């Protein structure tokens, strides 16, 4: 056995900091917004994704670092060699620079949109005809939804909602106005979330016009404040982001659903962690607001542009311009598996793999709908983490109950930012007779599995599907994920053990096929890596291929370093956080890491071990993060079908050879694109072509 990583190497030289690595992932998203080969409207949407990601980052990760700093702890070992206070400062500076870049990109996109006859106009550029339209639109749709607060007259400053955007209004009062005692008065206008952020104005010939709702409101300020007399009025955007941690009360009389509901509501009043303001705001107004809100130097204070909540660009209108968007692909069928007839009969004969969005998610819905109708099906068990807003999954499960099936749903009420939606579905399913399980105390249930029990003759036969992603029709069009359909009774039996664990969780089950967190994943992966080390030492086939969303667990990283030092070649595709530093002599010279950010969100978790020529392969719900290995229920499912193994190897190889959208992860963290003189391979497009070709074979 090779020696472990030298513990004397400074921790900051062994790992990238998790938070800074995440910011580099978000920088890759920003690269997509900047990439001139990306269609214009899609570039705007990537800006929206960048902004939305940043909001969630501050609600969760920055809030955690702030708590460490406020507790007076350094946090060096937990944070990868940097103190919490220093990290907060570095995050703020990095974000300020990224925000500057995003504003520059937005300006460039808007100029290019003008060349396409799409014009973004503000309140100062409105024509007479547009003004009449805006006034009517404001009166009919916007004014009834506005919340306007005269903060200058309040004894206590109102609590601003988390991530809501506000216009901070400053009025210089006229001498003959006796409404207020002070020369200046202030108000806050909350930008309504119930109204589309982008208002399409009447076109002028081929020219199309869009005004942002903020500017539409600015245009109508005189309408809003018509009862006052003022010499001047101005409005600047502000936004506050709050700590999103859920604090559950210990009231034993409350149901778990009630506790989560209360905690989600309390999130809106969490401590502030970031304050973003329009950098053109006057100093007096800014000082007034910060004093009133209690924003201090432990919060991240970000001078921004004229508009906040740029996440809304994710919903930028299409305007009928297909030429400025990605061409929509038609999800393909799975070869040999028809959506007509019985899926269960087909799956009884062999395993099938679905790779969304290249192939249609309709197979998952069809599986459940068939199970709901089939008189031989007696039980359905499923885990749910994030459902679509309109979920055919949920309706199929309710339909199954109405057909006399016993339906058990393990629903995770603490799926971050989807708690409210899951609560709504939980209450709906419960009222229809679905049996709900709310997980295991202290553990999130993050695995993605469904099990069906069918009475065939006198025997019960099980059918299952296991996935790397959520059972969500909406995200299945945007996220790449593997789903295995199987009637392998050994695998199905062990999936049933996982559901048994949800009910009787003081008993730890044993598994021969599945790798299940929190009890087995870490040590099993260590053992699989040790086998590769030993095989390399003996001259047998060795090597590790991993596809992950995130890699942040220091012990797992050290284990991979150990394999590298032993000579094992490791290829990793890591979309997001990567705390491992590849390519360092004596530590990680045998490890290569790339990240792919493109049209779809890369989401599968895949583990491939060469195993001396007897390749072991798993699809998984687990990333290499401490929470997935030790504090969640996760399933890594083996792939036994040789055809499916070959298919997964092919799709991994396509991704690995990407030289268009792949970035090489290095010590520098500079997000350099992988460039070479080989044939251009854009892996997501090539993967779709791969599946098109399979249907022709």
């Amino acid at each position: 056995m090779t020696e472990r990583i030298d513990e004397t190497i400074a921790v900051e030289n062994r790992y990238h900091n998790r938070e800074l690595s995440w910011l580099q992932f978000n920088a890759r998203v920003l690269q997509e917004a900047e990439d001139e080969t990306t269609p214009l409207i899609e570039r705007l949407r990537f800006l929206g994704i960048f902004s939305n990601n940043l909001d969630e980052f501050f609600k969760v990760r920055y809030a955690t670092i702030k708590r460490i700093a406020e507790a007076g702890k350094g946090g060096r070992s937990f944070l990868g060699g940097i103190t919490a206070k220093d990290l907060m400062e570095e995050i703020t500076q990095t974000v300020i620079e990224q925000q500057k870049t995003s504003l520059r990109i937005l300006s460039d996109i808007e100029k290019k949109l003008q060349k396409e006859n799409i014009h973004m106009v503000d309140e100062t550029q409105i024509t007479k005809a547009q003004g009449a339209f805006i006034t009517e639109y404001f009166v009919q749709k916007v004014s009834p939804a506005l919340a306007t607060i005269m903060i200058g007259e309040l004894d206590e400053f109102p609590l601003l909602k988390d991530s809501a955007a506000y216009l901070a209004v400053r009025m210089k009062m006229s001498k003959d106005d006796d409404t207020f005692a002070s020369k200046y008065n202030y108000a806050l206008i909350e930008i309504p979330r119930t109204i589309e952020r982008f208002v399409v104005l009447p076109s002028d010939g081929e020219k199309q016009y869009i005004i942002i709702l903020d500017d539409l409101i600015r245009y109508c300020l005189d309408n809003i404040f018509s009862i006052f007399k003022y010499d001047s009025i101005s409005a600047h955007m502000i936004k506050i982001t709050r700590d999103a941690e859920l604090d559950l009360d210990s009231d034993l009389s409350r149901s778990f659903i009630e506790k989560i509901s209360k905690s989600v509501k309390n999130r809106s009043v969490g401590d502030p962690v970031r304050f973003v303001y329009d950098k053109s705001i006057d100093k007096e107004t800014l000082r007034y607001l910060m004093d009133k809100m209690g924003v201090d130097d432990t919060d991240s204070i970000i001078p921004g542009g004229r508009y906040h909540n740029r996440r809304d660009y994710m919903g930028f209108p299409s305007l009928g311009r297909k030429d400025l968007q990605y061409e929509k692909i038609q999800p393909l069928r799975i070869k040999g598996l028809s959506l007509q007839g019985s899926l269960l009969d087909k799956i009884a004969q062999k395993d099938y793999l679905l790779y969304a969005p290249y192939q249609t998610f309709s197979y998952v819905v069809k599986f459940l709908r068939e199970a709901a109708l089939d008189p031989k099906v007696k039980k359905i068990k499923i885990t749910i983490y994030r459902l679509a807003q309109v979920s055919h999954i949920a309706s199929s499960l309710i339909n199954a109950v109405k057909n006399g099936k016993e339906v058990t749903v393990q629903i995770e009420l603490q799926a971050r930012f989807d708690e409210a939606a899951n609560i709504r579905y939980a209450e709906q399913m419960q009222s229809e007779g679905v049996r709900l399980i709310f997980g295991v105390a202290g553990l999130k249930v993050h695995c993605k599995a469904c099990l069906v029990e069918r009475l065939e003759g006198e025997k019960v036969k099980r059918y299952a599907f296991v996935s790397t992603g959520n059972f969500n029709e909406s995200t299945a069009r945007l996220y790449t994920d593997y789903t295995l359909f199987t009637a392998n009774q050994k695998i199905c039996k062990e999936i049933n053990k996982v559901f048994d664990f949800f009910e009787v969780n003081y008993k730890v089950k044993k598994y021969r096929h599945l790798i299940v967190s929190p009890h087995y994943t870490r040590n099993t992966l260590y053992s699989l890596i040790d086998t590769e080390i030993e095989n390399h030492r003996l001259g047998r086939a060795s090597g590790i291929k991993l596809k992950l969303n995130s890699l942040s667990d220091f012990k797992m990283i050290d284990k991979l370093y150990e394999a590298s030092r032993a000579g094992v070649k490791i290829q990793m595709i890591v979309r997001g956080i990567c705390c491992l530093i590849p390519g360092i002599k004596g530590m990680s010279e045998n490890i290569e890491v790339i990240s792919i950010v493109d049209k779809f969100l890369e989401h599968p978790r895949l583990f491939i071990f060469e195993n001396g020529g007897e390749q072991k392969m798993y699809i998984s719900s687990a990333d290499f993060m401490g929470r997935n290995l030790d504090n969640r229920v996760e399933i890594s499912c083996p792939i036994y079908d040789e055809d499916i193994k070959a298919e997964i190897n092919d799709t991994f190889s396509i991704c690995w050879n990407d030289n268009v959208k792949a970035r090489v992860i290095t010590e520098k963290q500079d997000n350099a694109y992988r460039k070479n003189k080989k044939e251009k391979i854009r892996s997501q497009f090539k993967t779709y072509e791969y599946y098109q070709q399979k249907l022709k074979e």
Side-chain angles (χ1 to χ4, degrees):
M1 188 71 63
T2 186
E3 61 181 296
R4 293 185 180 275
I5 188 69
D6 186 352
E7 296 292 341
T8 63
I9 297 175
V11 70
E12 60 265 33
N13 296 325
R14 284 165 52 198
Y15 317 113
H16 288 309
N17 171 266
R18 169 179 164 159
E19 281 65 41
L20 298 178
S21 177
W22 184 93
L23 288 174
Q24 289 308 311
F25 154 66
N26 212 28
R28 295 193 283 278
V29 175
L30 200 54
Q31 284 179 321
E32 289 300 295
E34 189 168 24
D35 188 342
E36 294 196 357
T37 67
T38 302
L40 266 180
I41 290 177
E42 302 293 350
R43 290 177 65 185
L44 279 176
R45 290 171 180 166
F46 273 111
L47 275 180
I49 296 168
F50 164 80
S51 183
N52 186 66
N53 287 348
L54 210 51
D55 283 349
E56 293 189 2
F57 172 80
F58 273 93
K59 290 178 188 180
V60 181
R61 294 305 307 168
Y62 189 90
T64 299
I65 308 307
K66 182 181 176 185
R67 273 189 243 115
I68 292 171
E70 289 178 342
K73 298 177 181 178
R76 281 183 182 273
S77 60
F78 173 72
L79 298 174
I82 187 172
T83 67
K85 185 176 180 182
D86 288 345
L87 179 57
M88 289 167 68
E89 291 177 4
E90 190 162 350
I91 288 171
T92 298
Q93 290 307 310
T94 301
V95 171
I96 287 172
E97 289 305 311
Q98 289 184 349
Q99 291 283 37
K100 287 179 182 176
T101 301
S102 72
L103 290 173
R104 174 181 56 76
I105 293 169
L106 178 58
S107 176
D108 178 62
I109 295 171
E110 288 178 346
K111 289 174 185 175
K112 286 184 167 57
L113 284 172
Q114 287 178 13
K115 293 179 181 179
E116 296 289 340
N117 276 327
I118 297 171
H119 300 267
M120 302 288 294
V121 295
D122 63 29
E123 75 279 9
T124 67
Q125 300 168 304
I126 302 303
T127 66
K128 186 176 181 180
Q130 290 170 341
F133 173 88
I134 287 171
T135 300
E136 181 66 16
Y137 186 93
F138 177 81
V139 170
Q140 295 297 328
K141 294 190 176 183
V142 181
S143 183
L146 278 189
T148 304
I149 308 167
M150 302 302 300
I151 55 177
E153 297 299 298
L154 298 178
D155 294 330
E156 189 173 334
F157 195 82
L159 188 72
L160 303 192
K161 294 179 184 177
D162 172 55
S163 292
Y166 293 86
L167 285 175
V169 179
R170 182 178 190 248
M171 290 180 281
K172 182 180 180 182
M173 309 311 298
S174 299
K175 291 180 180 178
D176 55 350
D177 183 279
D178 57 3
T179 311
F180 306 112
S182 58
K183 180 179 179 182
Y184 294 97
N185 218 306
Y186 300 91
L188 286 177
I189 302 173
E190 182 180 346
I191 305 297
R193 299 187 189 190
T194 54
I195 300 174
E196 292 293 335
R197 187 82 182 277
F198 301 97
V199 180
V200 180
L201 301 176
S203 58
D204 180 7
E206 293 185 354
K207 291 184 178 180
Q208 295 175 293
Y209 296 92
I210 292 175
I211 187 169
I212 295 180
L213 183 59
D214 322 8
D215 290 333
L216 187 147
I217 294 171
R218 285 186 176 101
Y219 184 82
C220 298
L221 285 176
D222 287 341
N223 182 306
I224 299 170
F225 298 103
S226 59
I227 64 172
F228 306 125
K229 296 176 182 178
Y230 46 82
D231 293 330
S232 64
I233 187 168
S234 62
H236 294 83
M237 186 72 75
I238 62 168
K239 180 176 79 170
I240 200 160
T241 305
R242 297 185 181 279
D243 187 336
E245 187 64 31
L246 291 180
D247 294 312
L248 302 184
D249 66 41
S250 56
D251 186 347
L252 297 179
S253 68
R254 292 178 179 272
S255 72
F256 192 56
I257 290 181
E258 288 175 321
K259 290 179 181 180
I260 295 290
S261 295
K262 180 182 177 183
S263 189
V264 169
K265 290 175 183 174
N266 287 344
R267 175 185 280 162
S268 64
V269 299
D271 291 338
V273 291
R274 178 179 60 156
F275 175 61
V276 185
Y277 63 91
D278 181 343
K279 61 180 178 292
S280 68
I281 196 170
D282 59 276
K283 292 180 181 179
E284 292 78 12
T285 304
L286 180 62
R287 190 179 305 114
Y288 173 87
L289 291 169
M290 290 179 63
D291 287 346
K292 289 287 187 179
M293 286 188 292
V295 174
D296 58 38
D297 58 4
T298 63
D299 304 312
S300 187
I301 301 169
I302 311 288
R306 180 177 169 88
Y307 310 103
H308 307 325
N309 277 5
R310 287 200 298 279
R311 62 171 183 244
D312 293 336
Y313 279 103
M314 290 192 294
F316 191 83
S318 298
L319 298 169
R321 294 295 300 271
K322 292 183 180 180
D323 57 317
L324 301 182
Q325 301 170 78
Y326 282 128
E327 181 181 350
K328 290 193 182 336
I329 66 166
Q330 183 65 38
L332 304 169
R333 62 183 176 86
I334 298 172
K335 186 176 181 179
L337 191 61
S338 173
L339 285 166
Q340 305 298 318
S342 171
L343 284 189
L344 297 183
D345 286 350
K346 283 285 191 179
I347 295 166
Q349 297 169 32
K350 71 181 295 291
D351 291 355
Y352 289 91
L353 184 75
L354 163 67
Y355 195 9
Y358 310 109
Q359 296 167 312
T360 177
F361 187 75
S362 298
Y363 287 101
V364 172
V365 178
K366 163 72 173 172
F367 182 103
L368 288 171
R369 283 182 174 162
E370 180 179 335
L373 296 178
D374 187 342
K376 294 179 182 178
V377 170
K378 303 304 177 184
K379 295 181 181 179
I380 302 173
K381 303 175 183 180
I382 192 169
T383 61
I384 286 175
Y385 196 73
R386 300 185 197 276
L387 288 172
Q389 284 298 312
V390 178
S391 174
H392 298 304
I393 302 294
S395 62
S396 297
L397 296 170
I398 291 168
N399 190 34
V401 169
K402 291 180 177 179
N403 280 314
K405 321 297 182 190
E406 182 183 316
V407 179
T408 301
V409 174
Q410 151 56 48
I411 187 164
E412 182 51 69
L413 294 185
Q414 297 183 76
R416 181 118 34 204
F417 305 122
D418 274 317
E419 299 95 343
N422 283 6
I423 289 167
R424 176 167 53 83
Y425 270 117
E427 291 172 338
Q428 180 185 344
M429 287 190 287
Q430 198 169 48
S431 69
E432 295 283 359
V434 173
R435 183 167 172 268
L436 297 184
I437 304 173
F438 297 119
V440 183
L443 300 174
K444 271 190 181 180
V445 177
H446 189 249
C447 59
K448 331 289 185 181
C450 176
L451 186 73
V452 164
E453 293 188 358
R454 191 171 187 250
L455 189 61
E456 299 181 4
E458 295 183 358
K459 290 186 177 180
V460 171
K461 185 169 183 177
R462 296 184 174 113
Y463 298 79
F465 57 82
V466 185
S467 186
T468 64
N470 298 308
F471 304 138
N472 182 315
E473 300 92 320
S474 297
T475 57
R477 293 193 292 268
L478 303 170
Y479 291 19
T480 65
D481 273 304
Y482 293 117
T483 300
L484 177 73
F485 295 96
T486 185
N488 181 313
Q489 293 304 289
K490 293 176 180 178
I491 290 176
C492 290
K493 182 180 179 180
E494 294 196 350
I495 292 172
N496 194 53
K497 283 186 179 182
V498 176
F499 281 97
D500 288 343
F501 173 68
F502 297 146
E503 310 236 31
V504 186
N505 43 67
Y506 56 84
K507 289 185 179 179
V508 177
K509 308 290 184 179
K510 293 185 178 180
Y511 304 89
R512 293 187 61 192
H513 303 276
L514 301 181
I515 306 174
V516 180
S517 292
H519 301 111
Y520 299 108
T521 303
R522 183 183 292 280
N523 287 337
T524 303
L525 289 172
Y526 285 172
S527 178
L528 287 164
I529 295 169
D530 282 338
T531 299
E532 297 308 310
I533 292 171
E534 181 66 8
N535 283 336
H536 182 80
R537 187 182 69 80
L538 296 173
R540 298 172 183 160
S542 66
I544 300 170
K545 297 174 183 176
L546 303 172
K547 191 168 188 181
L548 303 166
N549 293 326
S550 298
L551 170 58
S552 64
D553 185 82
F554 291 168
K555 291 180 181 178
M556 188 61 72
I557 291 170
D558 284 349
K559 193 68 183 177
L560 292 169
Y561 286 160
E562 182 185 343
S564 173
R565 286 158 67 88
V568 177
K569 298 292 184 183
I570 303 172
Q571 296 175 338
M572 293 196 293
I573 304 170
V574 183
R575 186 195 79 226
I577 298 165
C578 183
C579 296
L580 180 148
I581 306 175
I584 304 299
K585 189 173 182 180
M587 184 173 80
S588 58
E589 66 263 45
N590 288 305
I591 303 176
E592 294 179 82
V593 186
I594 63 169
S595 175
I596 296 170
V597 178
D598 198 355
K599 177 180 179 180
F600 304 124
L601 184 85
E602 294 286 338
H603 197 250
R605 291 85 165 186
L606 172 66
F607 318 147
I608 303 173
F609 301 92
E610 288 306 318
N611 193 42
E614 300 283 330
Q615 196 179 68
K616 288 190 175 183
M617 178 184 291
Y618 299 85
I619 62 169
S620 181
S621 59
D623 283 306
F624 284 7
M625 305 177 79
R627 67 189 189 193
N628 303 103
L629 301 172
D630 304 322
N631 299 307
R632 289 185 172 185
V633 180
E634 307 274 12
I635 292 175
S636 300
C637 180
I639 302 296
Y640 292 142
D641 184 280
E642 293 301 323
D643 290 338
I644 294 177
K645 273 188 175 181
E647 184 181 324
I648 290 176
N649 275 315
D650 287 345
T651 54
F652 182 92
S653 179
I654 290 169
C655 281
W656 184 254
N657 290 305
D658 190 307
N659 55 7
V660 176
K661 291 294 185 179
R663 284 75 156 181
V664 181
I665 303 301
T666 64
E667 185 178 15
K668 295 179 182 178
Q669 295 201 91
D670 56 2
N671 286 329
Y673 285 89
R674 173 195 270 166
K675 299 293 182 184
N676 55 42
K677 294 182 180 180
K678 297 179 181 178
E679 173 195 356
K680 293 292 183 187
I681 295 178
R682 187 170 177 178
S683 58
Q684 292 186 352
F685 289 31
K686 195 76 172 178
T687 300
Y688 185 68
E689 292 170 8
Y690 169 84
Y691 281 107
Q692 283 180 312
Q693 184 59 38
K694 282 185 77 71
L695 290 174
K696 296 175 183 177
E697 294 172 356

